[in-house]
């Protein structure tokens, strides 16, 4: 019997293989494949570790025709002391779709999830914002902030004026200090009114971005709401939006920002917008909202890309 | 941030830590915990890799109070050339239930699944057979045969007279040659009639053990039916049984041998029989049937035991 030579990569080895600009078309293709049914994506697995208010998601699937499939494990323990253990962690398994053997264990500690989430946000913003959009407001200062900032800068073909707002201005300043050229926005209402693109990455359970603050022509990429009960946007803002785009319609309706919608028939999927089979923004004065809950197709694509690079 | 020192064990290191006799009480305790609700067991994940007629199950859960939880991945590719890749394979992840960090990757290639399945069979046979039962017929010659044989020998406090029957007498002879003291049974009807304990481990899709062959007082441990459409026992045999025991009532009704039952209210769980909260066999002339589909509680228990040993 042939020996199983299993690849094992740690976080720094994986980090060295993650080139955001090169990954963008890979993640775009993943959205398109998911929306067109070219990926077998079973229901997401989930377990709660109640004693420590933690949980674990298992996202897995197989792009039809691929010689591997991927199982992505992501844990979230928000009360971890960051000095001892990161609040988000994870590992991906890559297995042969022809023999069932384990091909690789990617100990990314959640990095691939953060990177593909940043890329998803920038891909949605680029696909849906006005062609001249350049002012970006990032709402939230958590671990996703630098990934959204990096990905937006890498994917747009023009300089972006990026500001960050946080409930804690100190944390917003820390994000700005760590990302050159970033402004701190202290007035959320003013920041929203002036932004062409608003990227929300908070864990808010009550809407934080108000309808009356947002100008016509704005695009919003909402990334924070990834579980039942989480909401970042006014329900009125969703009702008013001309264009509602989901990474996965079923996931977003179930536990994303769009779970607040009374009528979901207007939702189109990002993959369908990217491949031209559904319309995104059709005029400069429209309000567009993308709701991203994160899909296994992204996890499969980034794991494959790390292995191939 | 503390470095993650992740344990990684290969199949031979895991094999050296698997002591069947020591594991028996661990697996018995797992059945009891599962039946009493002391383990959080989400629905089993499943993906089909259709191009190669393979599939993958993801069984996972957390025994309440434990400081780890376990995700067990098992693949089945029955058409693999065994000279190149085993038809069954797998890996288990052990994660911290207090921080979400990966504690260990157990590259057992499916060995832990085979061992816990063998143990489950022997535990069920010991709990449900007549106190004087000694003649065992193993029906099937696949990879599970040696594990069932080893576990039955390890768990019973008396010598067992074990025979093996296979559709291919050549393969039955090969199993006998590899396990000292084993007889080959060429007549399945006679073998069933003479056995005190029948252990079925085939992948049959049509019943292979007929009602009229089986004597009163016999115990049957049915391990082979682990997916919809698989059946090893005559439906009449199940109807006639005095005692129907499942490792998991819901799994066995959904996709085990017991999916053929018209009435499922008689089913009791093995864990409840082991802890005395449900009756198993109550007289020597009863016919008892245990249906084992394999539960995540076993996988959690054996992974923890390997790590602790």
């Amino acid at each position: 019997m042939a020996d199983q030579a299993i690849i094992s990569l740690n976080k720094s080895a994986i980090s060295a293989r993650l080139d955001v600009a090169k990954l963008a078309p890979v993640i775009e293709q993943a959205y398109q494949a998911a929306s067109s049914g070219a990926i077998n994506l079973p229901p997401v697995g989930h377990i709660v570790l109640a004693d420590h208010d933690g949980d674990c998601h298992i996202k897995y699937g197989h792009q039809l025709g691929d010689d591997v499939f991927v199982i992505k494990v992501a844990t979230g323990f928000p009360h971890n002391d960051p000095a001892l253990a990161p609040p988000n962690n994870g590992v991906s398994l890559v297995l042969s779709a022809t023999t069932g053997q384990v091909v690789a264990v990617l100990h990314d500690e959640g990095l691939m999830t953060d990177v593909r989430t940043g890329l998803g946000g920038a891909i949605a913003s680029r696909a849906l914002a006005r062609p001249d959009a350049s002012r970006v407001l990032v709402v939230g200062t958590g671990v996703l902030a630098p990934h959204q900032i990096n990905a937006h800068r890498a994917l747009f073909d023009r300089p972006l004026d990026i500001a960050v707002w946080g409930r804690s201005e100190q944390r917003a300043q820390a994000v700005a200090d760590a990302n050159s050229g970033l402004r701190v926005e202290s007035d959320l209402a003013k920041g929203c009114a002036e932004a062409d693109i608003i990227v929300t990455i908070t864990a808010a359970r009550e809407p934080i971005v108000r309808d009356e603050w947002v100008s016509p022509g704005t695009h919003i990429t909402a990334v924070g709401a990834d579980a039942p009960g989480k909401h970042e946007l006014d329900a009125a803002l969703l009702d008013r939006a001309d264009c509602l785009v989901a990474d996965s319609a079923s996931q977003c309706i179930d536990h994303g920002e769009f779970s607040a919608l009374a009528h979901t028939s207007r939702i189109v999927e990002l993959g369908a917008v990217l491949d031209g089979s559904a319309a995104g923004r059709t005029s400069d004065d429209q309000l567009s909202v993308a709701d991203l809950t994160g899909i296994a197709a992204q996890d499969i694509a980034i794991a494959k890309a790390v292995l191939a690079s």
Side-chain angles (χ1 to χ4, degrees), chain A residues 135-141 163-169 172 183-204 206-215 218 220-221 231-234 237:
Chain A
R135 291 167 302 182
V136 179
L137 176 69
V138 174
V139 178
T141 58
V164 61
W165 175 90
R167 213 177 282 272
S168 152
E169 196 159 331
R183 289 188 295 115
V184 171
E185 175 58 68
S186 54
D187 181 339
L188 182 57
K190 172 175 154 285
C192 286
E194 291 175 357
D196 303 320
I197 297 170
I198 301 170
V199 182
T200 62
I201 54 170
T202 71
E206 298 292 334
I208 194 166
V209 175
R210 292 201 201 147
D211 180 37
E212 60 268 27
W213 296 343
V214 178
S215 314
T218 305
I220 303 174
T221 293
H231 288 289
E232 301 182 289
L233 310 182
D234 245 351
L237 198 50

Coordinates of all heavy atoms in Angstrom, one line a residue, chain A residues 135-141 163-169 172 183-204 206-215 218 220-221 231-234 237:
Chain A
R135 N -14.7 56.7 -1.7 CA -14.7 56.9 -0.3 C -15.3 55.7 0.4 O -16.5 55.4 0.3 CB -15.4 58.2 0.1 CG -14.8 59.5 -0.4 CD -15.7 60.6 -0.4 NE -16.9 60.4 -1.2 CZ -17.9 61.2 -1.4 NH1 -17.9 62.4 -0.8 NH2 -18.9 60.9 -2.1
V136 N -14.5 55.0 1.3 CA -14.9 53.8 1.9 C -14.9 54.1 3.4 O -14.0 54.6 4.0 CB -13.9 52.6 1.6 CG1 -14.3 51.4 2.4 CG2 -13.8 52.4 0.1
L137 N -16.0 53.7 4.1 CA -16.1 53.7 5.6 C -16.2 52.3 6.1 O -17.1 51.5 5.7 CB -17.3 54.5 6.0 CG -17.5 54.5 7.6 CD1 -16.4 55.3 8.2 CD2 -18.9 55.0 8.0
V138 N -15.2 51.9 6.9 CA -15.2 50.6 7.6 C -15.8 50.8 8.9 O -15.3 51.6 9.7 CB -13.8 50.0 7.7 CG1 -13.8 48.7 8.5 CG2 -13.2 49.8 6.3
V139 N -16.9 50.1 9.2 CA -17.6 50.2 10.5 C -17.3 49.0 11.3 O -17.8 47.9 11.1 CB -19.2 50.4 10.3 CG1 -19.9 50.5 11.6 CG2 -19.5 51.6 9.4
G140 N -16.4 49.2 12.3 CA -16.0 48.1 13.1 C -14.4 48.1 13.2 O -13.8 48.4 12.2
T141 N -13.9 47.6 14.3 CA -12.4 47.6 14.5 C -11.9 46.2 14.8 O -10.7 46.1 15.3 CB -12.1 48.6 15.6 OG1 -12.8 48.1 16.8 CG2 -12.5 50.0 15.3
A163 N -11.8 55.3 5.7 CA -11.9 55.8 7.1 C -12.5 54.6 7.9 O -13.1 53.7 7.4 CB -12.9 57.0 7.2
V164 N -12.1 54.6 9.2 CA -12.6 53.6 10.1 C -13.3 54.2 11.3 O -12.9 55.2 11.8 CB -11.5 52.6 10.5 CG1 -10.4 53.4 11.3 CG2 -12.0 51.5 11.4
W165 N -14.5 53.7 11.6 CA -15.2 54.1 12.8 C -15.3 52.9 13.7 O -15.5 51.8 13.3 CB -16.6 54.6 12.4 CG -17.5 54.9 13.6 CD1 -17.6 56.1 14.3 CD2 -18.3 54.0 14.4 NE1 -18.4 56.0 15.3 CE2 -18.9 54.7 15.4 CE3 -18.6 52.6 14.3 CZ2 -19.7 54.2 16.4 CZ3 -19.5 52.1 15.2 CH2 -20.0 52.8 16.2
G166 N -15.2 53.2 15.0 CA -15.4 52.2 16.0 C -16.1 52.7 17.2 O -16.0 53.9 17.5
R167 N -16.8 51.8 17.9 CA -17.5 52.2 19.1 C -16.5 52.8 20.1 O -16.7 53.7 20.8 CB -18.2 51.0 19.7 CG -19.5 51.2 20.5 CD -20.0 49.9 20.9 NE -20.7 49.1 19.9 CZ -22.0 49.3 19.6 NH1 -22.8 50.2 20.2 NH2 -22.6 48.6 18.6
S168 N -15.3 52.2 20.1 CA -14.1 52.7 20.8 C -13.2 53.5 19.8 O -12.6 52.9 18.9 CB -13.4 51.6 21.5 OG -12.0 51.9 21.6
E169 N -13.1 54.8 20.1 CA -12.3 55.6 19.1 C -10.8 55.2 19.3 O -10.0 55.3 18.3 CB -12.4 57.1 19.4 CG -11.9 57.9 18.3 CD -12.5 59.4 18.2 OE1 -13.6 59.5 18.7 OE2 -11.8 60.3 17.7
A172 N -10.3 52.3 17.0 CA -10.3 52.8 15.6 C -8.9 53.5 15.3 O -8.4 53.2 14.3 CB -11.4 53.9 15.4
R183 N -7.9 57.0 7.8 CA -8.4 58.1 8.6 C -9.3 57.4 9.7 O -10.0 56.4 9.4 CB -9.3 59.0 7.8 CG -8.6 59.9 6.9 CD -9.6 61.0 6.3 NE -10.6 60.4 5.5 CZ -11.9 60.4 5.8 NH1 -12.3 60.9 6.9 NH2 -12.8 59.8 5.0
V184 N -9.4 58.1 10.9 CA -10.4 57.7 11.9 C -11.6 58.6 11.7 O -11.4 59.8 11.6 CB -9.8 57.9 13.3 CG1 -10.9 57.7 14.3 CG2 -8.7 56.9 13.5
E185 N -12.8 58.0 11.6 CA -14.0 58.8 11.5 C -14.7 58.7 12.9 O -15.0 57.6 13.4 CB -14.9 58.2 10.5 CG -16.3 58.8 10.4 CD -16.2 60.3 10.1 OE1 -15.8 60.7 9.0 OE2 -16.5 61.1 11.0
S186 N -14.9 59.9 13.5 CA -15.5 59.8 14.9 C -17.0 60.0 14.8 O -17.7 59.7 15.8 CB -14.9 61.0 15.7 OG -15.0 62.2 15.1
D187 N -17.5 60.5 13.7 CA -19.0 60.7 13.6 C -19.6 59.7 12.6 O -19.4 59.9 11.4 CB -19.2 62.2 13.2 CG -20.7 62.5 13.1 OD1 -21.5 61.6 13.0 OD2 -21.0 63.7 13.1
L188 N -20.2 58.7 13.2 CA -20.7 57.6 12.3 C -21.8 58.2 11.3 O -21.7 57.8 10.1 CB -21.4 56.5 13.1 CG -21.9 55.3 12.4 CD1 -20.8 54.7 11.5 CD2 -22.4 54.3 13.4
A189 N -22.7 59.1 11.7 CA -23.7 59.6 10.8 C -23.0 60.4 9.6 O -23.4 60.1 8.5 CB -24.6 60.6 11.6
K190 N -22.1 61.2 9.9 CA -21.4 62.0 8.9 C -20.6 61.0 8.0 O -20.6 61.1 6.8 CB -20.4 63.0 9.6 CG -19.5 63.7 8.7 CD -18.7 64.7 9.5 CE -17.3 65.1 8.8 NZ -16.3 64.0 9.0
G191 N -19.9 60.1 8.6 CA -19.1 59.1 7.9 C -20.0 58.3 6.9 O -19.6 58.1 5.7
C192 N -21.1 57.9 7.3 CA -22.0 57.1 6.4 C -22.5 58.0 5.3 O -22.6 57.6 4.1 CB -23.2 56.6 7.2 SG -22.8 55.2 8.3
A193 N -22.9 59.3 5.6 CA -23.4 60.2 4.6 C -22.4 60.5 3.5 O -22.7 60.7 2.4 CB -23.8 61.5 5.3
E194 N -21.1 60.5 3.9 CA -20.0 60.9 3.0 C -19.5 59.7 2.2 O -18.8 59.9 1.2 CB -18.9 61.6 3.7 CG -19.3 63.0 4.2 CD -18.2 63.6 5.1 OE1 -17.1 62.9 5.3 OE2 -18.4 64.7 5.5
A195 N -19.8 58.5 2.7 CA -19.1 57.3 2.1 C -19.8 56.9 0.8 O -21.0 57.0 0.6 CB -19.2 56.1 3.0
D196 N -19.0 56.4 -0.2 CA -19.5 55.7 -1.4 C -19.8 54.3 -1.1 O -20.7 53.6 -1.7 CB -18.6 55.9 -2.5 CG -18.2 57.3 -2.9 OD1 -19.1 58.1 -2.8 OD2 -17.0 57.6 -3.1
I197 N -18.9 53.7 -0.2 CA -19.0 52.3 0.2 C -18.9 52.2 1.7 O -18.0 52.8 2.3 CB -17.8 51.5 -0.5 CG1 -17.9 51.6 -2.0 CG2 -17.8 50.1 0.1 CD1 -16.6 51.0 -2.7
I198 N -19.9 51.5 2.3 CA -19.8 51.3 3.7 C -19.6 49.8 3.9 O -20.4 49.0 3.4 CB -21.1 51.7 4.4 CG1 -21.4 53.2 4.2 CG2 -21.1 51.4 5.9 CD1 -22.8 53.7 4.6
V199 N -18.6 49.4 4.7 CA -18.4 48.0 5.0 C -18.6 47.8 6.5 O -17.9 48.4 7.3 CB -16.9 47.6 4.6 CG1 -16.7 46.1 4.9 CG2 -16.6 48.0 3.1
T200 N -19.6 47.0 6.8 CA -19.9 46.8 8.3 C -19.4 45.4 8.7 O -19.6 44.4 8.1 CB -21.4 46.9 8.5 OG1 -22.1 45.9 7.8 CG2 -21.9 48.2 8.1
I201 N -18.6 45.4 9.8 CA -17.9 44.2 10.2 C -18.1 44.0 11.8 O -17.2 43.5 12.4 CB -16.4 44.2 9.9 CG1 -15.8 45.5 10.4 CG2 -16.2 44.0 8.4 CD1 -14.2 45.4 10.3
T202 N -19.2 44.6 12.3 CA -19.4 44.5 13.8 C -20.1 43.2 14.1 O -20.7 42.5 13.3 CB -20.2 45.7 14.3 OG1 -21.5 45.5 13.8 CG2 -19.6 47.0 13.7
A203 N -20.2 43.0 15.4 CA -21.0 41.9 16.0 C -22.3 42.4 16.5 O -22.9 41.8 17.4 CB -20.2 41.1 17.0
A204 N -22.8 43.5 16.0 CA -23.9 44.2 16.5 C -25.2 43.3 16.5 O -25.4 42.5 15.6 CB -24.2 45.5 15.8
E206 N -28.1 45.0 17.5 CA -29.1 46.0 17.2 C -28.5 46.8 16.0 O -27.3 47.1 15.9 CB -29.3 47.0 18.4 CG -29.9 46.3 19.6 CD -31.3 45.8 19.4 OE1 -32.0 46.4 18.6 OE2 -31.7 44.9 20.1
P207 N -29.4 47.2 15.0 CA -28.9 48.0 13.9 C -28.0 49.2 14.3 O -28.4 49.9 15.2 CB -30.2 48.4 13.2 CG -31.2 47.4 13.5 CD -30.8 46.9 14.9
I208 N -26.9 49.3 13.6 CA -26.0 50.4 14.0 C -25.9 51.5 12.9 O -25.6 52.6 13.2 CB -24.6 49.7 14.2 CG1 -23.6 50.6 14.9 CG2 -24.0 49.1 13.0 CD1 -22.4 49.9 15.5
V209 N -26.2 51.1 11.6 CA -26.2 52.1 10.5 C -27.7 52.4 10.3 O -28.5 51.6 9.9 CB -25.6 51.5 9.3 CG1 -25.7 52.4 8.1 CG2 -24.1 51.2 9.5
R210 N -28.0 53.7 10.4 CA -29.4 54.2 10.3 C -29.7 54.6 8.9 O -28.9 55.1 8.2 CB -29.6 55.4 11.3 CG -29.6 55.0 12.7 CD -30.3 55.9 13.6 NE -29.8 55.8 15.0 CZ -29.7 56.9 15.8 NH1 -30.1 58.1 15.4 NH2 -29.3 56.7 17.0
D211 N -31.0 54.3 8.6 CA -31.5 54.6 7.2 C -31.2 56.0 6.8 O -30.7 56.3 5.7 CB -33.0 54.3 7.3 CG -33.7 54.6 5.9 OD1 -33.0 54.3 4.9 OD2 -34.8 55.0 5.9
E212 N -31.5 57.0 7.7 CA -31.5 58.4 7.3 C -30.1 58.9 7.1 O -29.9 60.0 6.5 CB -32.2 59.3 8.4 CG -31.6 59.2 9.8 CD -32.2 58.2 10.6 OE1 -32.7 57.2 10.1 OE2 -32.2 58.4 11.9
W213 N -29.1 58.2 7.5 CA -27.7 58.6 7.3 C -27.1 58.3 5.9 O -26.1 58.9 5.5 CB -26.7 57.9 8.3 CG -27.0 58.2 9.7 CD1 -27.7 59.2 10.3 CD2 -26.5 57.4 10.9 NE1 -27.7 59.2 11.6 CE2 -27.0 58.1 12.0 CE3 -25.7 56.3 11.0 CZ2 -26.7 57.6 13.3 CZ3 -25.5 55.8 12.3 CH2 -25.9 56.5 13.4
V214 N -27.8 57.4 5.2 CA -27.1 56.8 4.0 C -27.7 57.5 2.8 O -28.9 57.5 2.6 CB -27.4 55.3 4.0 CG1 -26.8 54.7 2.7 CG2 -26.8 54.6 5.2
S215 N -26.8 58.0 1.9 CA -27.2 58.8 0.7 C -27.5 57.8 -0.4 O -27.0 56.7 -0.5 CB -26.0 59.6 0.3 OG -25.4 60.3 1.4
T218 N -25.1 55.0 -2.5 CA -24.2 54.3 -1.7 C -24.3 52.8 -1.9 O -25.4 52.2 -2.2 CB -24.5 54.6 -0.2 OG1 -24.5 56.0 0.0 CG2 -23.5 54.0 0.7
I220 N -23.5 49.3 0.3 CA -23.1 48.7 1.7 C -22.8 47.3 1.5 O -23.5 46.5 1.0 CB -24.3 48.9 2.6 CG1 -24.7 50.3 2.7 CG2 -23.9 48.3 4.0 CD1 -26.0 50.6 3.6
T221 N -21.6 46.9 2.0 CA -21.2 45.5 2.2 C -21.3 45.1 3.6 O -20.6 45.6 4.5 CB -19.8 45.2 1.6 OG1 -19.8 45.4 0.2 CG2 -19.4 43.8 1.9
H231 N -27.6 41.9 13.7 CA -28.1 42.9 12.7 C -27.2 44.1 12.8 O -27.0 44.6 13.9 CB -29.6 43.2 12.9 CG -30.4 42.1 12.5 ND1 -30.6 41.7 11.2 CD2 -31.2 41.2 13.3 CE1 -31.4 40.7 11.2 NE2 -31.8 40.3 12.4
E232 N -26.8 44.7 11.6 CA -26.0 45.9 11.6 C -26.8 47.0 10.9 O -26.4 48.2 11.1 CB -24.7 45.7 10.8 CG -23.9 44.6 11.5 CD -22.6 44.4 10.7 OE1 -22.6 43.9 9.6 OE2 -21.5 44.8 11.3
L233 N -27.8 46.7 10.1 CA -28.4 47.7 9.3 C -29.9 47.9 9.7 O -30.6 46.9 9.9 CB -28.4 47.3 7.8 CG -27.0 46.9 7.2 CD1 -27.1 46.6 5.7 CD2 -26.0 48.0 7.4
D234 N -30.4 49.2 9.7 CA -31.8 49.5 9.8 C -32.6 48.6 8.9 O -32.3 48.5 7.7 CB -32.0 50.9 9.4 CG -32.5 51.8 10.6 OD1 -32.8 51.2 11.6 OD2 -32.5 53.0 10.4
L237 N -33.5 50.5 5.8 CA -32.4 50.7 4.8 C -32.5 49.5 3.8 O -32.4 49.7 2.6 CB -31.1 50.6 5.6 CG -29.8 51.1 5.0 CD1 -30.0 52.5 4.4 CD2 -28.7 51.2 6.0

